[in-house]
């Protein structure tokens, strides 16, 4: 038997076709079809098709995350359509506007499991690799088609190994590693490819940090991303209520063929910043330190999980947000928000001057936290495209939650290591 | 008389890494109408670019066209603007899928993209696998069978409906 990558194994499992090689196109049967705000378009398309029977309603998951809560009658009507559809069709995995960001919500509810093949109407569906699943983004027509036929065409990707060894220095985080990789490899460095992360740093990462990695792999064009499931994964899945005997863990074989291996030395890394208007326009924080900010946004599926909020709160402890600067914190899910409330993290953030908004995509999807002409935001999200947050004449920089929090204190882009000495950085 | 697989006309050129927020800003995703979406296509680049887009038939771009979001409207809005084909040095994965699935011809040809002139002409024959522009012809690998079938029916949903009509489901 030829040694296989994770992607080969996952697509073989989902397609039932053996011995797949990169480049081959097959029909795969995903285990889960996630649709977020695009759900209403899927429903309208289904109506147009005149189809009333779904292939497997239990593989449908809908999360109202991008426009939550509704901002006008139109978006409210779209939500209502989704609610009615879920009820009529018996979609058990329907998560309403109070739930949070689709990716995080699905993982918290045990719907993402090792070896599963998951498609979603969101490019950052690569994040499911954090739990050893094959996750990839598709358009709403493809989700609609999967609702009906249960399948979609998939090209077997080549794979690239990304090895990160060694601990990171204080003040440096998983987000910095990914910004550095995106900067080095480019926004299309992994297009159509499967990113397999490994190395001593990766093995030591929390599931949240693995989410940050796999989420941001998309910004290099990756088709999917993967971290090998281990005890950390099993502990997370246990909390999510997934019985251990239901797991079907797929691991790459020793000696599998990779297009390339990329290595990054963890201890040598400094905090990184993506400069407008592309994610791969990455520099060390020192190069843009002092840039005046109007707003800091701590949110998105990349960096608004519980540990991200703790990091930000610890940096902000004993400080106040700079006069005139707006700090918006949007927890990624209701569960995370409740945890941050119970532990006092929300209070710390509020006392420092942060404005807390409801869980969901928030400002990253352009809802709330918009910028006026000429304004500048430092964001923990995954994109800094022109006009994504309000005015086309505004700017978005990207960083870790620690850099974002440190910068909120000074009102200018700030190296978090300058604040670390007065804070406990997790 | 051209073949049904031959589409093209006037070219509008763009650079590298043109992202989906520039092609169709997120605030307009509440619409489902190609014509309405087309009104806002490339809005961040200004009214002049938008007017030129609507007067063009082929979008030509550098590497990684359509990077970013999985929003299918990035392909739909171009169709709404009257664009018949996109020829780029390379595409982001999701944009390429969305193009095929909405029936928008998408061809990867770095040489043709390089040779194209802004405001000039380009013709794509996706059955023969050729791009003609600036007096030159550039071959490309024809679509795999499954993609040809989807394109022939005008996109994924029409393709599915055709297959239902044919008794395949």
């Amino acid at each position: 038997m030829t040694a296989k990558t994770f992607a080969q194994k996952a697509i073989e499992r989902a397609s039932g076709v053996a011995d797949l090689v990169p480049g081959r196109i097959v029909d795969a049967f995903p285990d889960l079809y996630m649709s977020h705000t695009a759900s209403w378009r899927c429903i309208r398309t289904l109506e147009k098709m005149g189809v009333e029977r779904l292939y497997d309603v239990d593989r449908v998951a809908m999360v109202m995350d991008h426009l939550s809560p509704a901002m006008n009658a139109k978006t409210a009507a779209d939500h209502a359509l989704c609610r009615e559809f879920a009820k009529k069709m018996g979609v058990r995995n329907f998560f309403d506007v109070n739930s949070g960001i689709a990716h995080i919500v699905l993982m918290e509810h045990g719907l993402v499991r090792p070896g599963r093949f998951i498609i979603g109407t969101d490019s950052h569906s690569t994040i499911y690799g954090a739990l050893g699943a094959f996750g990839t983004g598709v358009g709403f027509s493809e989700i609609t088609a999967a609702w009906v036929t249960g399948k979609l065409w998939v090209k077997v990707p080549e794979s690239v190994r990304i090895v990160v060894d060694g601990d990171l220095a204080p003040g440096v985080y998983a987000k910095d590693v990914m910004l550095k990789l995106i900067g080095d490899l480019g926004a299309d460095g992994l297009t159509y490819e499967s990113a397999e992360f490994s190395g001593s740093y990766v093995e030591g990462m929390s599931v949240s940090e693995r989410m940050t990695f796999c989420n941001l792999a998309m910004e290099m064009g990756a088709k999917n991303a993967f971290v090998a499931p281990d005890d950390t994964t099993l502990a997370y899945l246990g909390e999510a209520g997934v019985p251990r005997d239901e797991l079907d863990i797929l691991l790459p074989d020793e000696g599998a063929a990779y297009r390339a291996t990329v290595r990054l030395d963890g201890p040598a890394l400094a905090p990184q910043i993506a400069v407008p208007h592309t994610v791969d326009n990455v520099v060390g924080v020192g190069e843009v330190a002092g840039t005046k900010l109007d707003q800091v946004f701590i949110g998105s599926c990349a960096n608004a999980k519980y540990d991200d909020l703790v990091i930000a709160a610890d940096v902000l402890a004993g400080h106040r947000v700079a006069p005139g600067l707006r700090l918006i914190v949007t927890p990624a899910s209701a569960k995370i928000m409740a945890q941050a409330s119970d532990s006092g993290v929300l209070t710390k953030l509020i006392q420092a001057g942060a404005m807390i908004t409801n869980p969901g995509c928030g400002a990253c999807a352009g809802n709330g936290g918009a910028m006026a002409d000429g304004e500048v935001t430092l964001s923990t999200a995954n994109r800094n495209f022109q006009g994504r947050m309000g005015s086309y004449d505004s700017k978005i920089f990207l960083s870790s939650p620690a850099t974002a929090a440190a910068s909120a204190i000074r009102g200018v882009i700030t190296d978090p290591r300058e604040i670390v000495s007065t804070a406990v950085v997790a | 008389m051209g073949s049904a697989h031959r589409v093209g006309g006037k070219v509008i050129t763009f650079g590298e890494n043109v992202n989906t927020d520039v092609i169709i800003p997120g605030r307009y995703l509440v619409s489902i109408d190609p014509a309405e979406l087309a009104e806002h296509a490339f809005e961040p680049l200004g009214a002049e670019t938008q007017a030129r887009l609507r007067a063009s038939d082929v979008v030509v771009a550098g590497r990684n066209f359509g990077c970013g979001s999985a929003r299918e409207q990035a392909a739909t809005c171009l169709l709404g603007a009257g664009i018949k084909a996109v020829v780029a040095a390379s595409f982001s994965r999701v944009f390429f899928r969305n193009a095929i699935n909405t029936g928008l011809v998408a061809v990867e040809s770095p040489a043709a993209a390089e040779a194209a002139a802004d405001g000039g002409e380009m013709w794509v024959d996706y059955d023969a696998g050729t791009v003609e522009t600036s007096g030159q012809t550039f071959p490309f690998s024809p679509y795999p069978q499954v993609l040809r079938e989807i394109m022939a029916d005008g996109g994924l949903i029409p393709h599915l409906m055709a297959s239902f009509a044919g008794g395949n489901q």
Side-chain angles (χ1 to χ4, degrees):
Chain A
M1 269 314 264
T2 323
K4 292 168 184 167
T5 62
F6 165 73
Q8 283 171 287
K9 287 189 176 182
I11 296 175
E12 285 184 4
R13 185 181 156 277
S15 66
V17 181
D19 299 326
L20 291 178
V21 293
R24 174 95 185 267
I25 292 178
V26 291
D27 280 336
F29 288 78
D31 299 282
L32 192 68
Y33 335 121
M34 183 280 283
S35 54
H36 52 29
T37 304
S39 296
W40 69 274
R41 298 178 61 98
C42 301
I43 296 166
R44 291 291 183 219
T45 305
L46 197 74
E47 286 171 353
K48 198 174 81 183
M49 294 171 77
V51 175
E52 294 202 344
R53 198 171 152 271
L54 302 190
Y55 175 81
D56 181 357
V57 73
D58 287 337
R59 299 188 194 205
V60 175
M62 299 167 68
V63 191
M64 305 294 103
D65 62 359
H66 272 57
L67 301 157
S68 60
M71 37 275 303
N72 53 40
K74 165 73 170 85
T75 51
D78 293 341
H79 289 156
L81 178 74
C82 296
R83 258 174 230 125
E84 286 157 20
F85 176 84
K87 198 171 168 195
K88 186 179 94 181
M89 304 303 280
V91 177
R92 288 183 301 144
N93 298 314
F94 177 81
F95 300 93
D96 217 321
V97 291
N98 59 343
S99 307
I101 307 174
H103 304 309
I104 313 296
V105 171
L106 297 194
M107 292 205 229
E108 288 172 349
H109 285 79
L111 292 168
V112 178
R113 303 180 183 192
R116 282 194 167 178
F117 189 108
I118 301 171
I119 56 173
T121 53
D122 187 280
S123 59
H124 295 107
S125 298
T126 53
I127 192 174
Y128 304 132
L131 293 175
F134 186 106
T136 196
V138 297
F140 70 85
S141 288
E142 296 202 89
I143 292 288
T144 313
W147 282 0
V148 178
T149 67
K151 64 186 181 183
L152 88 163
W153 63 271
V154 189
K155 186 158 107 177
V156 181
E158 287 202 289
S159 298
V160 170
R161 289 172 73 212
I162 299 175
V163 185
V164 187
D165 281 317
D167 293 336
L168 306 184
V172 186
Y173 296 89
K175 177 65 160 287
D176 298 303
V177 174
M178 286 309 297
L179 288 176
K180 175 69 177 160
L181 285 168
I182 295 165
D184 287 355
L185 300 177
D188 60 351
L190 297 183
T191 299
Y192 298 107
E193 295 182 320
S194 172
E196 285 189 14
F197 293 104
S198 59
S200 65
Y201 172 69
V202 175
E203 286 160 16
M205 285 198 298
S206 66
V207 168
S208 169
E209 289 166 326
R210 295 174 191 197
M211 289 182 196
T212 301
F213 261 50
C214 293
N215 180 295
L216 285 154
M218 199 286 141
E219 299 306 327
M220 298 184 274
K223 182 189 193 98
N224 72 291
F226 174 75
V227 176
D230 56 12
D231 289 344
T232 304
T233 323
L234 296 179
Y236 183 95
L237 290 166
E239 269 187 47
V242 180
R244 209 169 266 219
D245 60 4
E246 285 185 15
L247 298 182
D248 185 11
I249 293 175
L250 299 181
L251 299 173
D253 293 326
E254 286 282 335
Y258 293 90
R259 181 186 63 78
T261 297
V262 177
R263 293 184 187 277
L264 192 138
D265 179 31
L269 192 69
Q272 304 288 306
I273 301 267
V275 175
H277 295 293
T278 65
V279 183
D280 60 354
N281 196 4
V282 176
V283 299
V285 65
E287 284 191 44
V288 286
T291 303
K292 190 183 172 303
L293 300 172
D294 300 288
Q295 179 171 285
V296 168
F297 172 60
I298 297 176
S300 91
C301 46
N303 277 118
K305 292 152 283 142
Y306 181 69
D307 59 341
D308 297 317
L309 304 187
V310 171
I311 290 165
D314 284 347
V315 172
L316 285 160
H319 295 278
R320 283 285 300 177
V321 165
L325 180 135
R326 316 179 292 268
L327 171 60
I328 299 172
V329 180
T330 304
S333 74
K335 187 182 173 194
I336 289 166
M337 192 164 190
Q339 196 181 354
S341 173
D342 286 347
S343 67
V345 163
L346 286 189
T347 306
K348 278 192 207 171
L349 291 166
I350 293 164
Q351 283 173 345
M355 172 190 184
I356 314 293
T357 75
N358 65 292
C361 299
C364 182
N367 301 306
M371 284 184 285
D373 287 352
E375 289 195 325
V376 180
T377 283
L378 179 62
S379 160
T380 67
N382 36 35
R383 294 220 168 106
N384 59 350
F385 297 160
Q386 185 183 2
R388 191 170 171 88
M389 292 171 67
S391 164
Y392 299 137
D393 183 31
S394 64
K395 289 178 179 165
I396 307 170
F397 290 78
L398 304 177
S399 77
S400 76
T403 304
S407 303
I409 294 167
R410 299 254 179 100
V412 296
I413 292 179
T414 301
D415 188 329
R417 294 171 299 185
E418 291 175 20
I419 312 278
V420 162
S421 55
T422 57
V424 183
V425 176
Chain B
M1 290 293 288
S3 92
H5 307 117
R6 191 169 184 270
V7 294
K10 196 173 181 186
V11 165
I12 179 168
T13 60
F14 295 91
E16 302 195 335
N17 294 317
V18 175
N19 68 62
T20 47
D21 280 71
V22 166
I23 300 171
I24 184 73
R27 71 202 65 165
Y28 301 116
L29 303 184
V30 290
S31 173
I32 201 164
D33 174 24
E36 192 183 330
L37 288 166
E39 299 260 311
H40 305 289
F42 290 107
E43 193 173 276
L45 301 187
E48 195 188 325
T49 300
Q50 291 187 281
R52 287 190 51 232
L53 177 80
R54 289 193 285 272
S56 301
D57 305 289
V58 182
V59 164
V60 175
R63 281 172 33 234
N64 205 23
F65 184 82
C67 61
S69 166
R71 62 186 66 158
E72 197 169 305
Q73 293 93 330
T76 314
C77 74
L78 298 184
L79 287 166
I83 297 300
K84 299 171 185 76
V86 184
V87 176
S90 67
F91 291 98
S92 90
R93 188 197 135 261
V94 191
F95 180 86
F96 183 78
R97 289 189 78 98
N98 283 335
I100 299 300
N101 290 328
T102 53
L104 173 65
V105 175
V107 170
E108 199 167 285
S109 175
E114 178 75 30
D118 201 27
E121 279 206 3
M122 180 177 275
W123 291 86
V124 179
D125 188 323
Y126 65 86
D127 207 38
T130 57
V131 179
E132 299 158 49
T133 192
S134 307
Q136 294 173 271
T137 301
F138 301 91
F140 64 89
S141 309
Y143 290 158
Q145 186 59 26
V146 57
L147 274 63
R148 290 159 82 103
E149 289 171 10
I150 293 170
M151 282 304 299
D153 287 334
L156 180 62
I157 298 302
H159 175 63
L160 272 185
M161 291 171 81
S163 75
F164 296 159
N168 286 347
Q169 183 72 29

